[in-house]
Amino acid sequence: MATKVQITSKFWTRYRQLVRTEMIPYQWKVLNDIAGITIEKERLNDEGIPSEKSHAIENFKIAAKRAKGTHYGWTFQDSDVYKWLEAVAYSLREKMDPQLNDKALEVIDLIADAQEDDGYLDTFYSILGIEHRYQSLAGSHELYCMGHFIEAAVAYFEATENEKVLTVAKKAADNVDANFGSEEGKIHGYDGHEEIEIGLLRLYHVTGEERYLNLAKYFLMERGKHPDFFREQAAKYNGPDALKGIEKSPDTYFQNHKPILEQDTAEGHAVRVVYMCTALADLAYSTGDKELYAACVRLWDDITKRRMYITGGIGSTVIGESFTLDYDLPNDTMYCETCAAIGLIFFAKQMLKIEAKAEYAEVMERALYNCALAGMALDGKHFFYVNPLQVDPKKSKKDPTKSHVKPVRPSWLGCACCPPNLARLIASLDDYVYTINGDSILINQYIASSTAIEDAGTIKVEQITDYPWDDSVSIRIENNCDHDKKIGVRIPGWADGYRLTVNGKEEDAILSEGYAYIDVARKSKVIIDLYLEVSIKRYYANTAVSEDVGKVAIGRGPFIYCLEGVDNGEYLNSISLPKDAKLTYKWTGDLLNGVGVIEGKAKRAASRDTSLYSTIRPDTSDVDIKFIPYYAWANRGENEMQVWVREWEA
Amino acid sequence: MATKVQITSKFWTRYRQLVRTEMIPYQWKVLNDIAGITIEKERLNDEGIPSEKSHAIENFKIAAKRAKGTHYGWTFQDSDVYKWLEAVAYSLREKMDPQLNDKALEVIDLIADAQEDDGYLDTFYSILGIEHRYQSLAGSHELYCMGHFIEAAVAYFEATENEKVLTVAKKAADNVDANFGSEEGKIHGYDGHEEIEIGLLRLYHVTGEERYLNLAKYFLMERGKHPDFFREQAAKYNGPDALKGIEKSPDTYFQNHKPILEQDTAEGHAVRVVYMCTALADLAYSTGDKELYAACVRLWDDITKRRMYITGGIGSTVIGESFTLDYDLPNDTMYCETCAAIGLIFFAKQMLKIEAKAEYAEVMERALYNCALAGMALDGKHFFYVNPLQVDPKKSKKDPTKSHVKPVRPSWLGCACCPPNLARLIASLDDYVYTINGDSILINQYIASSTAIEDAGTIKVEQITDYPWDDSVSIRIENNCDHDKKIGVRIPGWADGYRLTVNGKEEDAILSEGYAYIDVARKSKVIIDLYLEVSIKRYYANTAVSEDVGKVAIGRGPFIYCLEGVDNGEYLNSISLPKDAKLTYKWTGDLLNGVGVIEGKAKRAASRDTSLYSTIRPDTSDVDIKFIPYYAWANRGENEMQVWVREWEA
């Protein structure tokens, strides 16, 4: 049941155009080392990263014997090409572009040429020593890269029906299948970074080949059963350096501390966790296995109910880019990687397929409109890896504890995981709008768009709205199918109330797990109008979150807001918001491509002199403050930013 | 003008006895690897440290050819022996102990045997390759170790008049002098870790030999003139691994970014900075050079007026154990090393010799009674390196960003810098009570004690007080000198007021830079009684310190107070102290060896349920709270602790 959603949303069309006109062409140049970028050391996203150039396409050319040379870059450099190809696939699905498609076909040919005869696909080992393949999985990222290729291949096949790409993908998956599994003589292991599992399940969905599902299941169930696996491999390994020493990371870093089904808490590298969960949820969905789903729910709950920033960001520490513990959410030293928020969106999407709970769609929305979108500048050319909730540029520069927390987005450099991940997310946003759940069509995201769902006939669904800036959505349904349908209209948890009309008449639909279900009889047309009561919200963190006690975060609709220095001056933490302060929402079309801002009167504390400690209480004075949506911060130069604001108790 | 102060203070006598009865004997066993300590990996102060054993004495035996084997431990392992010897020297000065002295003499003989014929003294290179000496100064700590030896030698000589130890020290200093300096053929460089400068100046003071002063001056003035020095040495070095790679640290780490006289801010490794400043201030004092003193004042001001925690702790980040930038004082991720607070006390002591400003004595007092003392458990057997202002044991265990911040003091293990540094500070505390400034005797610290100062006759000074727990001090002076004297009575900045009587009569002495000067005519006796008005203080940090805005720290007298979980429950940051809350001071003799506690009524915020974010404001309820002095925290098991407490604005 292929769904193609034509997105017309003004908000999202701008971003999707940026992907087409800026990100994809620019990344093409980067991958081919023709972007002409000069990378000064201090602008590198991370020191020590081999990122003076990409060399990614060149690696493929060398592996394909079309060029001479050696491998350059990370062990996972190939995945940059695959994520580009995946974004291109979604872009072509939206709108065919023959020139772009030629580039994609060229890349697919190159990948096919670089593939070993037995299906193995990884330029690092093809160039540096194929005899060492699969022997250093803690850091080699071989299966991770193949997983990304398979995802790209499936996306490209679905967009173009190109068989060649699917053949290459199946051949790669077959090589993995031949080398890994519980059978004697196979490797009883898995990749340090989950991803192959996602790819294999997508390949299963498109081919129906159960072997791929079983292999994904093998990887997931094997993980954590034998925590010494990576160290044992490393002790014997004598091949090219594949992130040597990474095997010494805590087992939790790899989610390798115990079997997944026994994991109650989200541990280790946050991106890996949510990639693992995405696959686990797809497996639970694909098999209908309740135990698997229960494991997903346990991890979902731990992530979203105890370890998630209010922006949808995850990963409380830069060390290992990891989760830490429940309710530990420091605002200015965390990681909150863009990719982790994106992975959480992937996870939510899979969960929605299993159970129609608006909670999943709401976390998806929170991560999408806040942490993930903040990963990208409004110009589509600059990107954050780390998405803090509080930053002071002075500290980013001079306090090494905070040096990973950048106050402005660097441009997309040689090696990059987050920008292409954002590109593929935004380009495939149509896949996140609806979930088909039996006879129900769940509307998860309010995004102006139209689609035609084939299901023994066609059901057309159109959303007319200016959401996220508008509070109402008109949903036009034309059910030409042979059977009745239900439309699950998500009622956001942040709405104070709502009104639903069906064909102009008030409808008192029963809410179930956050969805209001409206019947749409076969061969009928229905217009559903949803009016949301949206107000400015004051959010409080649980008092177990020590960093946020006594503070308030401001939100409106799907957006979390923040204070920025450019609007509010220096020393943002000296601002406190009286608990009864009136806050006003105002649409500002000429600011930051059009945003709703929130204004109010607050207090500002200021010491009388420069003395470091004093028995004299700082004076407070009234001050006008302005909040902007979090996603739009750091688009007006380098300045302070803060989400959680002290609340004035009086 | 040797000063011997017999300390009778109940507060300090306990600590000084611990040094004699616990620390010195225990460290002797550790140094000789007969302490029988079994060190489990997780109890190590720091992973990766070679600290399964000390081997320090064994290294000397091997270097002295009394034993076979190779060097074990850090490049600076020798300094453990020297700091032990220095503490022993002060202990013997206080009270001769023939058995202990025999051990000291034994160690001095061993050191003399380990010394090379040309005076070079460092077991690491003597054992591993003398031909590589002085070639890797970024990490070798050769001069650092020799500096500690010289300090110990001077202290031992002053305590016992043993000439041998001084001969060894001069021979070592002469070797350094022969190898370093501006002359052609000498090394134009210095040690990565300042300390030799302090030792050389002490040697100058005891011998009067100007060469040692000039050499100290050379090291101080050369530093930072050629920031590539360490990297150039490292590029050529092929000797044993002396902290290889440390030369890649930022130049600031070594205070090597520019000449010291041009340094306006305290940069890099905090202990190194204050050791450098201690020597610089001694040099300024010894030479009367105003420019040097101005440089000291610039660094003093930056450290104490913009970069110091209210506990007297310094070093805002664990990365490089370093200073960061002005007003950057995070409470739960910093370093605040015990040794750095001790070094700040050294610096203050030198500054007092130059200028009679109570500010120096007050910072000394703050660091002594708070950060430094907190480095040691009440049992004298457990020690902190890191002295946080806020800790949650759960986070120390599971958030790697905070793993260096321990919630309980580990026991003194194989290798240790802070415990022996505390031992020598406490054992030599008599040196911190008074400063002789021309005809004035400044009383810097109120510590019950008696002393006889020789200065063309004797002037006896006795302090009778229960300070720090008592608010009055009776000072009895007997001036048997041939000339009049002034006594500078320090009026602490934290006193609300004071009353001074001289021989029972009210005295309205003029205050100058925090000292009230009382004349004591020659051949006269005077009793000065100082009555301080002491109250509970609410301290506010400058609003530029973002971490502390809206918070208050409680102090009384020299002590900063803190909340501990054992008294106040979990989630200490959910407590807020109303700004007009009445706080009561109460002496509690049976708690923590006797402390004054501060009690009051506060508010506690508590979320209604476990949800992570909510639009419902947490409820607040009244709660009784109890503060204890910061130095005494973590003596009742593992629990939360917090110095800065949110202030309730109402």
Side-chain angles (χ1 to χ4, degrees):
Chain A
M1 185 159 44
T3 311
K4 183 178 165 179
V5 180
Q6 206 65 46
I7 290 179
T8 53
S9 152
K10 197 175 143 205
F11 185 86
W12 284 109
T13 295
R14 208 188 70 80
Y15 282 105
R16 286 158 70 87
Q17 275 172 351
L18 281 175
V19 172
R20 257 203 315 278
T21 61
E22 294 294 338
M23 295 175 77
I24 289 175
Y26 183 72
Q27 194 185 9
W28 175 252
K29 288 185 194 162
V30 169
L31 294 172
N32 285 277
D33 298 305
I34 51 173
I37 38 172
T38 313
I39 305 170
E40 306 114 61
K41 191 84 182 160
E42 59 273 24
R43 287 179 58 245
L44 289 176
N45 284 314
D46 197 346
E47 281 180 39
I49 289 181
S51 53
E52 290 76 24
K53 56 186 173 182
S54 163
H55 209 259
I57 291 287
E58 193 66 16
N59 288 339
F60 278 96
K61 287 184 182 163
I62 295 164
K65 312 247 185 314
R66 292 193 199 172
K68 287 196 191 295
T70 191
H71 186 275
Y72 173 89
W74 290 104
T75 54
F76 48 85
Q77 206 79 351
D78 291 358
S79 64
D80 281 4
V81 176
Y82 304 146
K83 282 194 262 184
W84 175 85
L85 182 62
E86 191 182 343
V88 167
Y90 300 129
S91 179
L92 295 174
R93 176 177 71 175
E94 188 196 359
K95 192 170 131 190
M96 178 46 71
D97 172 340
Q99 275 191 303
L100 181 60
N101 195 33
D102 285 348
K103 285 199 181 105
L105 288 168
E106 191 186 304
V107 165
I108 291 162
D109 284 344
L110 179 60
I111 293 168
D113 279 5
Q115 186 171 38
E116 300 287 335
D117 291 342
D118 67 357
Y120 179 81
L121 179 59
D122 190 78
T123 69
F124 182 81
Y125 282 100
S126 283
I127 294 171
L128 296 177
I130 193 77
E131 67 277 18
H132 299 294
R133 72 184 189 178
Y134 296 143
Q135 291 174 1
S136 186
L137 290 160
S140 72
H141 287 78
E142 290 157 278
L143 302 176
Y144 169 86
C145 286
M146 282 193 253
H148 269 303
F149 172 66
I150 295 169
E151 281 212 81
V154 170
Y156 189 75
F157 171 78
E158 288 181 332
T160 64
E161 296 185 358
N162 175 298
E163 287 286 350
K164 178 170 184 178
V165 73
L166 206 61
T167 304
V168 178
K170 285 192 282 190
K171 214 171 137 187
D174 292 345
N175 180 277
V176 176
D177 194 31
N179 281 281
F180 290 85
S182 56
E183 298 89 342
E184 210 175 328
K186 289 187 174 180
I187 302 164
H188 307 321
Y190 33 82
D191 198 276
H193 197 316
E194 298 88 337
E195 165 62 31
I196 184 71
E197 302 83 355
I198 297 174
L200 287 169
L201 286 162
R202 286 186 75 167
L203 193 60
Y204 159 71
H205 292 307
V206 80
T207 64
E209 177 61 71
E210 297 245 350
R211 270 190 311 123
Y212 302 138
L213 178 139
N214 289 334
L215 185 56
K217 182 172 181 179
Y218 169 76
F219 282 132
L220 290 166
M221 296 303 106
E222 182 66 14
R223 193 168 208 95
K225 284 200 175 153
H226 182 56
D228 284 331
F229 171 63
F230 294 130
R231 285 185 292 273
E232 286 171 3
Q233 274 207 327
K236 284 188 274 184
Y237 185 68
N238 65 349
D241 181 356
L243 305 186
K244 191 178 164 187
I246 198 173
E247 74 282 355
K248 290 177 192 150
S249 305
D251 295 335
T252 46
Y253 177 78
F254 305 105
Q255 300 73 54
N256 193 26
H257 51 299
K258 51 178 153 173
I260 299 179
L261 298 187
E262 295 171 21
Q263 294 182 17
D264 293 324
T265 53
E267 300 294 342
H269 190 271
V271 174
R272 295 173 195 231
V273 171
V274 282
Y275 278 25
M276 175 184 90
C277 288
T278 299
L280 191 67
D282 194 351
L283 184 67
Y285 164 72
S286 303
T287 59
D289 187 317
K290 296 269 185 287
E291 195 191 355
L292 293 181
Y293 181 55
C296 291
V297 170
R298 278 195 297 275
L299 290 168
W300 173 269
D301 284 351
D302 192 52
I303 293 170
T304 65
K305 294 173 182 168
R306 293 182 287 276
R307 300 188 177 198
M308 184 182 75
Y309 288 86
I310 196 164
T311 55
I314 49 177
S316 292
T317 179
V318 59
I319 299 172
E321 305 172 4
S322 286
F323 287 103
T324 56
L325 67 155
D326 291 348
Y327 302 111
D328 180 40
L329 297 162
N331 290 308
D332 57 351
T333 57
M334 83 280 265
Y335 209 66
C336 274
E337 188 178 344
T338 305
C339 283
I342 293 171
L344 183 57
I345 292 169
F346 296 160
F347 183 20
K349 181 181 162 210
Q350 293 298 341
M351 293 298 269
L352 277 166
K353 284 161 77 175
I354 308 173
E355 198 175 0
K357 287 176 77 166
E359 172 189 336
Y360 300 135
E362 201 146 315
V363 168
M364 181 192 281
E365 181 181 69
R366 183 187 290 266
L368 179 64
Y369 284 92
N370 298 287
C371 188
L373 208 50
M376 184 171 165
L378 294 175
D379 65 6
K381 296 176 188 172
H382 299 82
F383 302 89
F384 277 137
Y385 286 65
V386 173
N387 295 281
L389 276 75
Q390 181 175 330
V391 72
D392 179 340
K394 298 192 295 294
K395 296 185 182 180
S396 297
K397 279 174 204 150
K398 299 209 69 176
D399 181 346
T401 312
K402 300 176 181 107
S403 61
H404 62 291
V405 181
K406 306 288 181 210
V408 281
R409 295 171 186 83
S411 55
W412 187 347
L413 303 178
C415 168
C417 64
C418 299
N421 227 350
L422 267 174
R424 67 180 182 136
L425 173 73
I426 293 169
S428 66
L429 198 63
D430 24 339
D431 294 338
Y432 296 81
V433 181
Y434 301 105
T435 300
I436 314 296
N437 192 291
D439 273 345
S440 296
I441 297 168
L442 308 178
I443 306 182
N444 299 316
Q445 301 304 329
Y446 295 110
I447 295 177
S449 59
S450 59
T451 188
I453 299 164
E454 301 299 326
D455 182 18
T458 299
I459 176 161
K460 290 185 185 169
V461 185
E462 190 181 4
Q463 289 188 46
I464 300 168
T465 179
D466 260 340
Y467 194 97
W469 300 120
D470 194 2
D471 306 340
S472 63
V473 188
S474 185
I475 304 153
R476 287 151 200 238
I477 322 278
E478 192 180 317
N479 184 3
N480 297 320
C481 299
D482 289 339
H483 45 273
D484 301 345
K485 287 276 181 189
K486 280 181 193 296
I487 301 292
V489 177
R490 179 168 72 90
I491 308 302
W494 43 255
D496 296 321
Y498 66 99
R499 209 157 56 81
L500 262 181
T501 66
V502 175
N503 293 331
K505 280 188 236 161
E506 296 282 332
E507 175 80 17
D508 205 14
I510 290 164
L511 264 185
S512 169
E513 294 286 4
Y515 289 97
Y517 287 91
I518 308 290
D519 294 317
V520 181
R522 64 200 183 101
K523 308 288 179 197
S524 74
K525 288 184 187 178
V526 163
I527 296 177
I528 304 169
D529 284 296
L530 172 66
Y531 304 94
L532 295 166
E533 279 174 46
V534 185
S535 67
I536 297 165
K537 284 273 175 290
R538 284 177 176 248
Y539 291 109
Y540 301 94
N542 194 286
T543 46
V545 183
S546 66
E547 289 81 359
D548 298 336
V549 189
K551 294 183 179 173
V552 62
I554 302 300
R556 189 182 183 281
F559 295 115
I560 296 300
Y561 277 70
C562 67
L563 296 175
E564 256 199 316
V566 65
D567 300 314
N568 302 289
E570 267 196 311
Y571 302 118
L572 292 179
N573 203 37
S574 68
I575 292 172
S576 58
L577 188 64
K579 79 181 174 188
D580 53 359
K582 189 169 173 256
L583 294 171
T584 314
Y585 176 78
K586 188 171 83 179
W587 171 253
T588 315
D590 56 355
L591 184 69
L592 299 164
N593 285 323
V595 289
V597 301
I598 293 173
E599 294 172 328
K601 287 209 183 295
K603 305 272 186 189
R604 181 184 270 281
S607 294
R608 291 202 191 157
D609 56 35
T610 59
S611 55
L612 185 50
Y613 304 109
S614 167
T615 53
I616 300 169
R617 216 160 175 275
D619 297 318
T620 53
S621 54
D622 290 338
V623 64
D624 291 317
I625 59 169
K626 183 197 277 187
F627 293 88
I628 62 159
Y630 174 75
Y631 79 87
W633 85 277
N635 279 290
R636 292 173 293 167
E638 189 176 284
N639 68 166
E640 283 186 40
M641 185 278 294
Q642 192 164 322
V643 170
W644 290 98
V645 178
R646 293 185 305 113
E647 199 172 49
W648 185 263
E649 312 264 7
Chain B
M1 186 159 46
T3 311
K4 184 178 166 181
V5 179
Q6 207 65 46
I7 290 180
T8 52
S9 152
K10 196 174 146 204
F11 185 87
W12 284 110
T13 296
R14 208 188 70 81
Y15 282 106
R16 286 159 70 86
Q17 275 173 352
L18 281 176
V19 171
R20 257 202 315 278
T21 60
E22 295 293 338
M23 295 175 77
I24 288 175
Y26 182 73
Q27 194 186 8
W28 175 252
K29 288 185 195 162
V30 169
L31 294 172
N32 285 278
D33 298 306
I34 52 172
I37 37 174
T38 313
I39 306 173
E40 305 114 59
K41 190 85 181 158
E42 59 271 24
R43 287 179 58 245
L44 287 177
N45 284 315
D46 196 346
E47 282 182 38
I49 289 182
S51 53
E52 289 75 24
K53 56 186 173 183
S54 162
H55 210 259
I57 291 288
E58 193 66 16
N59 289 338
F60 278 96
K61 287 184 182 163
I62 295 164
K65 311 252 184 314
R66 293 192 199 169
K68 287 196 190 293
T70 191
H71 186 274
Y72 173 90
W74 289 104
T75 53
F76 47 86
Q77 205 80 351
D78 290 359
S79 64
D80 281 5
V81 175
Y82 303 146
K83 282 194 263 185
W84 175 84
L85 181 62
E86 191 182 343
V88 167
Y90 300 128
S91 180
L92 295 174
R93 176 177 71 174
E94 189 197 357
K95 192 171 132 189
M96 178 46 69
D97 172 341
Q99 275 191 305
L100 181 59
N101 194 33
D102 285 349
K103 284 197 182 109
L105 288 168
E106 188 186 307
V107 165
I108 291 163
D109 284 345
L110 179 60
I111 293 168
D113 280 5
Q115 187 170 37
E116 300 288 336
D117 291 341
D118 66 357
Y120 179 81
L121 179 58
D122 191 78
T123 69
F124 183 81
Y125 282 100
S126 283
I127 295 170
L128 297 176
I130 194 77
E131 67 277 19
H132 299 293
R133 71 184 187 179
Y134 296 145
Q135 291 174 1
S136 186
L137 290 159
S140 73
H141 288 78
E142 290 156 278
L143 302 177
Y144 168 87
C145 286
M146 281 192 254
H148 270 303
F149 172 66
I150 295 169
E151 281 212 82
V154 170
Y156 189 75
F157 171 77
E158 289 182 332
T160 65
E161 297 184 359
N162 175 298
E163 286 286 350
K164 178 170 185 178
V165 73
L166 205 60
T167 304
V168 178
K170 286 192 280 187
K171 212 171 141 187
D174 292 344
N175 181 275
V176 176
D177 194 32
N179 280 282
F180 291 85
S182 56
E183 297 89 343
E184 210 174 327
K186 288 186 174 182
I187 302 165
H188 307 321
Y190 33 81
D191 198 277
H193 197 315
E194 299 89 337
E195 165 64 29
I196 184 71
E197 302 83 354
I198 297 175
L200 287 169
L201 286 162
R202 286 186 75 168
L203 192 60
Y204 160 72
H205 292 308
V206 80
T207 64
E209 177 62 70
E210 296 244 349
R211 272 191 308 123
Y212 302 139
L213 178 138
N214 290 333
L215 185 56
K217 183 173 180 180
Y218 169 76
F219 282 132
L220 289 166
M221 295 303 107
E222 182 67 15
R223 192 168 209 95
K225 284 201 176 153
H226 182 57
D228 284 331
F229 170 63
F230 295 131
R231 284 184 293 273
E232 286 171 3
Q233 275 207 327
K236 285 187 275 184
Y237 185 69
N238 64 348
D241 180 355
L243 304 187
K244 193 180 165 185
I246 198 171
E247 74 282 355
K248 290 178 192 148
S249 305
D251 295 335
T252 47
Y253 177 77
F254 305 104
Q255 301 73 53
N256 193 26
H257 51 299
K258 52 177 152 174
I260 297 179
L261 298 187
E262 296 171 21
Q263 295 182 18
D264 293 324
T265 53
E267 301 294 342
H269 190 272
V271 174
R272 295 173 196 232
V273 171
V274 283
Y275 279 24
M276 175 184 91
C277 289
T278 299
L280 190 67
D282 194 352
L283 184 67
Y285 164 71
S286 303
T287 60
D289 187 318
K290 296 271 185 288
E291 195 191 355
L292 293 180
Y293 181 55
C296 291
V297 170
R298 279 196 296 275
L299 290 168
W300 173 269
D301 284 351
D302 192 52
I303 293 169
T304 64
K305 294 174 182 166
R306 293 182 288 276
R307 301 189 176 198
M308 185 183 76
Y309 288 86
I310 197 164
T311 55
I314 50 176
S316 292
T317 179
V318 58
I319 299 172
E321 307 173 2
S322 286
F323 288 103
T324 57
L325 67 154
D326 291 347
Y327 302 112
D328 180 40
L329 297 162
N331 291 308
D332 58 350
T333 57
M334 84 281 264
Y335 209 66
C336 274
E337 187 178 344
T338 305
C339 284
I342 292 170
L344 182 58
I345 292 168
F346 296 160
F347 184 20
K349 181 181 164 210
Q350 293 298 340
M351 292 298 269
L352 276 167
K353 284 162 78 175
I354 308 174
E355 199 176 0
K357 287 176 78 168
E359 173 189 336
Y360 301 135
E362 200 146 316
V363 168
M364 181 193 279
E365 181 182 69
R366 184 187 288 267
L368 179 63
Y369 283 93
N370 298 285
C371 188
L373 208 48
M376 184 173 166
L378 295 175
D379 65 6
K381 297 177 188 172
H382 298 81
F383 301 88
F384 277 138
Y385 286 64
V386 173
N387 295 281
L389 276 76
Q390 180 175 331
V391 71
D392 179 341
K394 298 191 295 295
K395 295 185 182 180
S396 296
K397 279 174 204 149
K398 299 209 70 178
D399 181 346
T401 312
K402 302 176 181 105
S403 61
H404 62 291
V405 181
K406 306 287 181 209
V408 282
R409 295 172 186 83
S411 55
W412 188 347
L413 304 178
C415 168
C417 65
C418 299
N421 229 350
L422 268 173
R424 67 179 182 137
L425 173 73
I426 293 170
S428 66
L429 198 63
D430 24 340
D431 293 338
Y432 297 82
V433 180
Y434 301 104
T435 299
I436 314 296
N437 192 292
D439 273 343
S440 295
I441 296 168
L442 307 179
I443 307 183
N444 299 314
Q445 302 304 330
Y446 294 110
I447 295 177
S449 59
S450 58
T451 188
I453 299 164
E454 300 300 327
D455 182 18
T458 300
I459 175 161
K460 291 185 184 169
V461 185
E462 191 182 3
Q463 288 188 47
I464 300 169
T465 179
D466 259 340
Y467 194 97
W469 299 120
D470 194 0
D471 306 340
S472 63
V473 187
S474 186
I475 304 154
R476 289 154 198 235
I477 322 278
E478 192 179 317
N479 184 2
N480 297 320
C481 297
D482 287 339
H483 45 273
D484 300 346
K485 288 276 181 188
K486 281 181 193 297
I487 301 291
V489 177
R490 180 169 72 89
I491 309 302
W494 43 256
D496 296 322
Y498 67 99
R499 207 158 57 84
L500 262 181
T501 65
V502 175
N503 293 332
K505 280 187 238 162
E506 295 284 333
E507 174 81 17
D508 205 15
I510 290 164
L511 263 185
S512 170
E513 295 285 4
Y515 289 97
Y517 286 92
I518 308 290
D519 293 316
V520 181
R522 64 201 184 99
K523 310 286 179 195
S524 75
K525 287 185 188 181
V526 164
I527 296 177
I528 303 169
D529 285 295
L530 171 67
Y531 304 93
L532 295 166
E533 279 174 46
V534 185
S535 67
I536 297 165
K537 284 273 174 291
R538 285 177 177 248
Y539 291 110
Y540 300 95
N542 194 285
T543 47
V545 183
S546 66
E547 288 80 0
D548 298 336
V549 189
K551 294 182 178 172
V552 62
I554 301 300
R556 188 182 184 282
F559 295 115
I560 296 299
Y561 277 70
C562 67
L563 295 174
E564 257 199 314
V566 64
D567 300 313
N568 302 288
E570 266 196 310
Y571 303 118
L572 292 179
N573 202 37
S574 69
I575 292 172
S576 58
L577 187 65
K579 77 179 173 185
D580 53 0
K582 189 169 173 256
L583 294 170
T584 314
Y585 176 78
K586 190 171 82 180
W587 171 254
T588 316
D590 56 354
L591 184 69
L592 298 163
N593 285 324
V595 289
V597 302
I598 294 174
E599 294 173 328
K601 288 209 183 294
K603 305 271 185 189
R604 182 184 268 283
S607 294
R608 290 204 190 155
D609 57 34
T610 60
S611 54
L612 185 51
Y613 304 110
S614 167
T615 53
I616 299 168
R617 217 160 175 276
D619 296 319
T620 53
S621 54
D622 291 337
V623 64
D624 291 319
I625 60 169
K626 182 197 278 186
F627 292 88
I628 62 159
Y630 174 75
Y631 79 86
W633 84 277
N635 278 291
R636 292 173 293 167
E638 188 177 284
N639 67 165
E640 283 185 42
M641 184 278 294
Q642 193 165 322
V643 169
W644 290 100
V645 179
R646 291 186 306 113
E647 198 172 50
W648 184 264
E649 312 265 7

